[in-house]
Amino acid sequence: MSSPIKKFVRPHSLTHCVLDHSLIGRLKHVLWRRGINAERTRRQAGGTDLDSTARSIVRQLAEKGIVIGNVTDFLSDSGLAAFREGEQVIRAEVASEKVQDTLTNGRNSGQNKDYLIQIVNFSDPIDAGHPLLRLALDERLLKIVADYMGMWPQLHAISSWLNFPVDQDAKASQLWHRDPEDLKTVKVFIYLDDVGPKQGPFSFIGGSHPLGADCERLPEHQHPRRVLDQEMAKTFPEDRWTRCTGPAGTMIMADTVGYHRGGQVQEGHRLLVTFTYTSGAPQEKRKLAVTGQPNWQLSPIQDFALKN
Ligand SMILES: O=C(O)CCC(=O)C(=O)O
Ligand SMILES: [Fe+2]
């Protein structure tokens, strides 16, 4: 959708937060929800039947912009089953000659982010029967995202990566940034193996997300879109950096319009699954393309997550 409203609400840069506490920021929020995403907002208006754990996740997300837990905190039983199935598919792919050869070469020269291998590539169409699609459409997960966003979300991308050590300075998503996909953007990361401080944990500045307490505090930076650690530390000291380490099965949900970075592995590797959820009118072109039809009856919120 390329309407004048959408142009008006668009983000200025990867380091600025559009939904702030100013009058303009609040006006943009209203237009984004009730203007260009009116139907999705109306669907969510009655609220959803969330249990107390899910409600607590939404509260933390609204307050800090990030929640870290275990897959069992976020997913329904069928989501967990899809996760286990998806993990098998990913591990088989990691074991393939193609992936192992790239690892042996030490750098993935085929792409800008040469420090990772896309195990499930977000730009490839995904089959409707793929367990990761079932996982990304888990109803409990969708309801949590919907409650935070104030509207029924759209599933924007599905991906799985393997990050590995590369002998070079941090770059791209390894440096602090805000994501450009939409005015609020919820990303999920599930670690398939243990991630410690040396495996490039996803890191986040709590409160820097849209309408968060610190969304207006902007660190000075030289690079047009990225902020270096030493630049960030002047505005947000290191004790404000949430480093998401955790065992296999750790699940992170964050509004990545808040400052974040990750994936600079020093030792071993980091294997994860990631999903992106946006409004129905994202600022960036949607990456997800699904081939075929799911072989189960989609519920209304799942249907909205898939449709344009
Ligand atoms: O690899 C990471 O931990 C950060 C990735 C990132 O910036 C993103 O997915 O938007
Ligand atoms: Fe990012």
Side-chain angles (χ1 to χ4, degrees):
M1 191 197 295
S2 164
S3 66
I5 298 180
K6 193 173 169 194
K7 287 211 173 93
F8 176 67
V9 299
R10 80 172 183 271
H12 301 291
S13 78
L14 281 178
T15 55
H16 174 98
C17 182
V18 172
L19 300 185
D20 62 18
H21 304 284
S22 68
L23 195 59
I24 296 280
R26 280 179 288 156
L27 176 63
K28 286 183 174 181
H29 193 202
V30 171
L31 288 173
W32 180 68
R33 288 188 61 225
R34 302 196 184 277
I36 51 183
N37 289 291
E39 176 62 13
R40 287 173 183 273
T41 299
R42 199 180 60 73
R43 292 285 181 145
Q44 175 60 22
T48 33
D49 50 335
L50 291 180
D51 55 72
S52 63
T53 309
R55 283 203 305 274
S56 149
I57 289 173
V58 175
R59 262 200 310 277
Q60 283 182 67
L61 204 52
E63 196 189 323
K64 303 271 181 219
I66 184 162
V67 192
I68 310 158
N70 186 271
V71 277
T72 50
D73 298 321
F74 294 86
L75 300 173
S76 69
D77 288 347
S78 66
L80 283 170
F83 169 60
R84 287 194 198 98
E85 233 181 275
E87 181 171 8
Q88 297 314 310
V89 175
I90 289 165
R91 291 206 187 278
E93 183 62 25
V94 169
S96 73
E97 209 172 310
K98 192 168 128 234
V99 171
Q100 290 302 316
D101 279 355
T102 311
L103 276 180
T104 312
N105 289 338
R107 192 168 297 194
N108 189 5
S109 50
Q111 55 172 41
N112 172 39
K113 293 184 181 175
D114 55 7
Y115 48 80
L116 61 80
I117 302 170
Q118 299 245 8
I119 304 300
V120 174
N121 194 325
F122 56 60
S123 56
D124 291 345
I126 192 161
D127 191 88
H130 200 294
L132 289 189
L133 183 67
R134 234 166 58 230
L135 171 55
L137 294 176
D138 182 52
E139 274 209 81
R140 189 154 182 276
L141 192 52
L142 289 177
K143 286 178 184 173
I144 290 171
V145 177
D147 212 24
Y148 168 71
M149 300 229 317
M151 70 177 75
W152 281 9
Q154 183 178 78
L155 176 60
H156 185 87
I158 293 180
S159 189
S160 167
W161 320 317
L162 181 68
N163 291 75
F164 53 90
V166 175
D167 190 15
Q168 65 186 1
D169 289 342
K171 65 176 190 179
S173 56
Q174 295 174 327
L175 296 172
W176 295 105
H177 63 283
R178 295 181 183 278
D179 279 347
E181 282 92 336
D182 207 348
L183 302 199
K184 284 184 180 177
T185 300
V186 174
K187 287 196 182 175
V188 163
F189 300 92
I190 307 176
Y191 295 155
L192 298 192
D193 294 313
D194 299 355
V195 173
K198 293 197 169 169
Q199 282 80 52
F202 176 82
S203 301
F204 190 87
I205 310 276
S208 66
H209 61 297
L211 301 166
D214 287 321
C215 65
E216 281 146 38
R217 275 173 72 186
L218 308 176
E220 283 186 21
H221 55 97
Q222 297 296 315
H223 188 285
R225 298 184 311 279
R226 312 276 171 188
V227 182
L228 303 176
D229 278 5
Q230 57 271 31
E231 293 171 326
M232 186 56 90
K234 287 185 191 149
T235 304
F236 293 101
E238 281 202 39
D239 61 9
R240 289 283 310 270
W241 305 1
T242 303
R243 290 180 176 85
C244 305
T245 53
T250 294
M251 182 155 163
I252 302 155
M253 185 182 273
D255 187 330
T256 52
V257 176
Y259 287 114
H260 65 284
R261 62 135 159 80
Q264 194 181 19
V265 173
Q266 288 149 271
E267 237 175 69
H269 63 260
R270 189 188 68 166
L271 179 61
L272 55 74
V273 175
T274 176
F275 310 129
T276 305
Y277 302 92
T278 62
S279 77
Q283 305 285 331
E284 292 241 308
K285 191 173 175 303
R286 188 182 189 188
K287 297 182 185 83
L288 183 80
V290 177
T291 44
Q293 285 297 319
N295 62 356
W296 80 95
Q297 180 68 41
L298 292 172
S299 71
I301 197 169
Q302 291 176 327
D303 184 42
F304 268 71
L306 273 190
K307 76 178 195 176
N308 279 315

